[in-house]
Amino acid sequence: MQKRKLTVTLSLALALALTASACGKSGTTANENAGETPKDTTKKSAANEPAELTFFTMGGESQDSFNDRYGNAIRKQFPNYTIKYIRSEKGTTLPELIASGTKIDIYYDSIGNFSDGLLGYQMQYDMSDLIKKTGIDLAKFEPTLIDAMRDISGGKMYGLPVYNTNLILFYNKAVFDKFGVAYPKDGMTWDETLELAKKLNRKDGDKQYLGLSVSPTHMLRMNQFSLPYVDSKTSKPVLDSEKWRKLYQTTMIDPAQDQGYKDRITELKNALPYRDALLKDQTLGMFVFLSAMPFTVAEEITPLNWDMVSLPTFKELPGVGSQAYPTYFSITSMAGNKDAAIEVMKFLTSAEYQTDLSKKGTMPVLKDEAIIKAFGQDTKFKGKNFQAAFYNKFAPISYKSIYDVTVEKSYVKQIGLMAKGEIDINTAFRTAIEEAEKGIADVKARSGAK
């Protein structure tokens, strides 16, 4: 894979050289207006002069989605900017774009994939000076989001959070009503939730009802103990710990201690019941998933008589919910107009834009009570407990590495077998660690990481 690394390096070098040339031509703006400081002139020209910015994410977001979320708002705010978006698909994947010398100005991705993308392809750029120059106040952000980026960046700032999500407990009122069971409430512990779930593990005629399930990948990524996948110093898997055991046992194994539940896992080819069990089959009482779910699958959830409450908590971590799962926007090292790019970032993190996002059901990144209270107000879902998303405080975001995507596959692989009792947790962990170590070695060989 040295050939790929050389190609990427040469392409980046070419992009950086072109960037330096462009900056040399445009960076000589004089302070022509009396009374304006150079700083004011830079800000004014960057926001009002023509600029072209290309966005990219490995998430494969559609053009329509990009425009609805960001593109149209950016174009309205900056009518002199030409905003382009490249969708990740065959022919325009990140490796292909870099190999072809295509310039990406702003890269964005969720925290779970951020390191693998931006850092994995060495596109990172420290935005600290630009943030100061444009007056972006980091103190206004949810602190765990900024702390996590500083951790990823080694004390620098490779990105700014633009929107957020966390884990919430969704429930189907119809299942609870059917069996005369009281609805879940904000502030419940995992022990209380498990007791509630047992009352819903029932068979009615030929239909098997289940009490509780979670999204395994999100539960691991956003775990309340802030456990990382790998050690930050050694890059070795760190699955073998009592806290990891408790997380797996409580959230994924204990809910399945019913034969009907185990049979369902077998039907699902050893996977835990997922979103369809809640939304389509309507046989699942409670499901832990991202707080953004109602707004991303609005058509599917509308027929359901649903609501949401805060993520259950561990007794040893009272009031602590999941880690946040932000999406960061980053100015890349190859960006041709970094002043224009930071103006866009300032807009996307402004109170005005964040309020608009919050009203539409996207969790904001600013710790502003008015913006938080606006969450979900302009959606068609009225009377839902949207503030449950903010009931708990965020757990600190765990260390993220370029190996996480690979390691996670090993950590998730045998959860169904563990839940059914066909493999014990210690054996499963040993196997997962061995597979994770092989995966890490492959990533190192592919990327040239030490």
Side-chain angles (χ1 to χ4, degrees):
M1 294 301 166
Q2 291 297 320
K3 182 177 180 181
R4 189 195 106 167
K5 185 181 177 185
L6 178 60
T7 301
V8 171
T9 302
L10 289 174
S11 299
L12 282 173
L14 176 59
L16 288 171
L18 291 172
T19 298
S21 174
C23 290
K25 293 178 181 178
S26 62
T28 58
T29 304
N31 179 25
E32 297 175 351
N33 298 320
E36 283 190 337
T37 64
K39 179 179 179 182
D40 291 334
T41 304
T42 301
K43 290 170 68 177
K44 183 178 179 181
S45 63
N48 294 288
E49 290 186 356
E52 182 176 301
L53 297 173
T54 298
F55 290 70
F56 178 84
T57 178
M58 289 206 299
E61 185 169 18
S62 70
Q63 289 281 351
D64 287 343
S65 177
F66 171 82
N67 287 330
D68 288 343
R69 274 180 150 181
Y70 329 106
N72 293 338
I74 296 170
R75 293 182 186 104
K76 183 178 179 181
Q77 182 71 14
F78 303 98
N80 292 328
Y81 287 10
T82 300
I83 303 300
K84 296 182 177 180
Y85 169 66
I86 300 176
R87 185 178 187 182
S88 179
E89 53 191 348
K90 187 176 181 180
T92 55
T93 63
L94 188 53
E96 290 170 320
L97 292 175
I98 291 177
S100 67
T102 301
K103 179 173 65 67
I104 298 168
D105 298 289
I106 296 179
Y107 172 90
Y108 67 98
D109 220 328
S110 65
I111 191 171
N113 300 309
F114 183 86
S115 294
D116 186 51
L118 189 82
L119 304 187
Y121 291 90
Q122 300 175 2
M123 297 189 298
Q124 65 270 24
Y125 174 80
D126 185 9
M127 296 161 47
S128 299
D129 290 341
L130 291 172
I131 289 170
K132 291 178 183 177
K133 185 170 73 171
T134 51
I136 298 174
D137 187 358
L138 298 182
K140 293 183 178 181
F141 290 77
E142 159 57 39
T144 61
L145 310 184
I146 302 302
D147 291 343
M149 180 47 62
R150 291 200 188 282
D151 188 37
I152 292 171
S153 308
K156 300 174 183 178
M157 286 296 293
Y158 291 156
L160 282 173
V162 169
Y163 66 91
N164 194 17
T165 189
N166 63 355
L167 292 181
I168 287 294
L169 181 69
F170 294 94
Y171 64 98
N172 184 345
K173 290 183 177 181
V175 175
F176 283 84
D177 292 343
K178 183 177 183 64
F179 299 114
V181 178
Y183 299 151
K185 301 179 294 184
D186 287 333
M188 292 177 64
T189 66
W190 278 108
D191 290 342
E192 292 170 333
T193 306
L194 288 169
E195 286 302 312
L196 195 61
K198 289 178 183 178
K199 299 176 182 179
L200 302 179
N201 287 326
R202 302 188 189 184
K203 192 160 188 176
D204 184 64
D206 61 352
K207 186 173 286 189
Q208 176 67 51
Y209 289 88
L210 310 172
L212 171 68
S213 188
V214 306
S215 168
T217 55
H218 294 103
M219 182 57 65
L220 298 185
R221 290 179 189 178
M222 304 163 70
N223 71 83
Q224 289 156 284
F225 293 111
S226 301
L227 302 168
Y229 284 164
V230 300
D231 184 270
S232 61
K233 296 180 180 178
T234 65
S235 296
K236 292 185 178 297
V238 290
L239 184 61
D240 191 14
S241 75
E242 287 306 313
K243 288 183 177 179
W244 272 121
R245 284 183 176 82
K246 182 161 190 175
L247 183 78
Y248 276 76
Q249 187 71 46
T250 303
T251 66
M252 293 176 278
I253 298 175
D254 286 347
Q257 298 313 298
D258 175 89
Q259 189 56 49
Y261 202 123
K262 294 177 180 180
D263 292 343
R264 177 63 60 82
I265 293 175
T266 298
E267 292 172 9
L268 295 170
K269 298 180 180 179
N270 293 325
L272 295 186
Y274 205 65
R275 198 167 59 196
D276 281 356
L278 178 81
L279 302 178
K280 294 183 180 180
D281 302 337
Q282 296 196 26
T283 55
L284 179 62
M286 296 177 283
F287 183 54
V288 172
F289 200 62
L290 300 173
S291 58
M293 182 176 73
F295 318 109
T296 57
V297 293
E299 291 185 6
E300 294 177 52
I301 202 171
T302 295
L304 197 71
N305 185 11
W306 66 278
D307 211 336
M308 54 198 278
V309 295
S310 60
L311 182 71
T313 57
F314 290 95
K315 288 182 179 179
E316 57 267 51
L317 291 173
V320 177
S322 73
Q323 299 172 48
Y325 197 69
T327 289
Y328 291 105
F329 279 57
S330 302
I331 298 173
T332 71
S333 55
M334 66 176 80
N337 191 334
K338 293 181 173 63
D339 284 333
I342 196 64
E343 289 293 339
V344 169
M345 306 279 270
K346 184 176 182 179
F347 167 66
L348 294 177
T349 57
S350 68
E352 174 190 3
Y353 183 77
Q354 288 291 309
T355 298
D356 187 55
L357 280 184
S358 186
K359 287 180 178 180
K360 294 176 181 178
T362 297
M363 183 177 280
V365 296
L366 302 180
K367 54 177 187 178
D368 183 306
E369 285 301 318
I371 297 175
I372 289 171
K373 287 180 180 179
F375 186 56
Q377 283 183 358
D378 287 355
T379 68
K380 65 180 181 180
F381 304 113
K382 304 301 180 183
K384 302 300 183 184
N385 184 25
F386 289 134
Q387 289 303 302
F390 306 93
Y391 185 88
N392 294 318
K393 65 181 180 181
F394 291 105
I397 297 177
S398 56
Y399 167 72
K400 306 298 179 186
S401 76
I402 62 173
Y403 311 111
D404 285 4
V405 173
T406 297
V407 169
E408 184 179 84
K409 295 175 184 177
S410 304
Y411 286 8
V412 170
K413 191 174 182 180
Q414 299 190 81
I415 287 175
L417 295 177
M418 283 189 273
K420 289 166 59 178
E422 294 184 8
I423 184 172
D424 68 272
I425 195 167
N426 292 325
T427 301
F429 275 17
R430 284 196 297 271
T431 301
I433 290 170
E434 290 174 2
E435 291 187 6
E437 288 174 340
K438 292 178 182 177
I440 290 170
D442 289 343
V443 174
K444 286 182 176 180
R446 188 169 69 243
S447 66
K450 296 181 179 180

